[in-house]
Amino acid sequence: MRGLVEQELTAIVASTPGLVAAPPAVDDLYLDYVAELEEIQNGRQVGLTYGLADLDTITSGMRPGNVTVIAAQSGVGKSTLALNAAVAAAKTGAEVLFSSLEMSRNELMHKIVAAEGMIPLHHLTRQGDLTPEGWKEVERLGRELFRTLPLRVYRPDGAALRDIESAARACVRGDGLDVLVVDYLQLIETEQTRNSTREQAVAAVSRGLKNLSVALDCHVIALSQLNDDGMMRESRAIKNDASVVIKVERPDLDEPESPRAGEVDIVIEKNRFGPCATVTAAAQMHYSRIVDMSQT
């Protein structure tokens, strides 16, 4: 009797959807692993660039199936860092989607044009401030950069996670998707049960973005607000779900006469692919960009 029951259970399991074949054994994975290991040791960067050389070295870049959280208090520069990374990755040919719940499409375009054309941002946003030379640079960017840059900008009508997921999947069905940027995490809404807390809702968004990175085999950059005490706002799950956690700090915000004026600290608090460290870069916020110190 026991043998018959076991046979019936085996038959049921074998016919269960999703269990067509067992996962691969390490022996099946070994050759692919060695091939990638050789490329790493020969100097090939594993992931896509963030646009900052030291940050790429420490983290090995943006890898598919993983999440980077960029966190900061309001006005420090997390959106600037994320947008710079999106453009840098797209310049390598990666397909990138920047989903903003905070800025309009034209606001994002202003920031990209300022960063790429080295045009002061306020010259683009105030009447009469754009010089003839500035106009020529805007036109040049249209011809030489935007015409071929594989970067899409999406501002959902609502703020639901399912809208962002739908846009990402549409990109996959089209030209593909390598990087998804979400600005920012605490603005995304999920379906909540009557008894769920705000912390649980934000945790559900964090887990949903992590699952999406795996399902679509892309890298997700999720921006997050920080509380005044430097902790992730509203949920500890954000840090748990991320592979890399970056906090952006500006020493000169609280001390205008600081000897470190114009610098930004990119504090790598969590790094599954290497050490935790602090990378110092140049904050050229009038151009809406954060660059390596060597570029100043």
Side-chain angles (χ1 to χ4, degrees), residues 27 41 52 58 61 69 79 82 93 102 105 124-125 130 143 147 149 156 159-160 163 179-180 199 225 235 286 288-289:
D27 184 49
Q41 298 305 312
L52 296 171
I58 295 170
V69 169
S79 295
E102 191 170 42
R105 295 171 181 175
L124 298 167
T125 58
L130 188 60
R143 294 191 309 271
R147 187 169 294 175
L149 192 70
D163 295 329
V179 179
L180 167 65
E199 181 176 354
Q225 290 277 31
S235 181
H286 58 301
S288 194
R289 70 179 197 161

Side-chain angles (χ1 to χ4, degrees), residues 59-100:
T59 63
S60 295
M62 296 184 281
R63 305 178 183 216
N66 289 276
V67 175
T68 293
V69 169
I70 299 178
Q73 294 179 352
S74 181
V76 173
K78 60 182 180 297
S79 295
T80 296
L81 178 60
L83 188 56
N84 290 171
V87 173
K91 283 182 174 180
T92 70
E95 297 287 341
V96 182
L97 172 63
F98 195 105
S99 178
S100 176

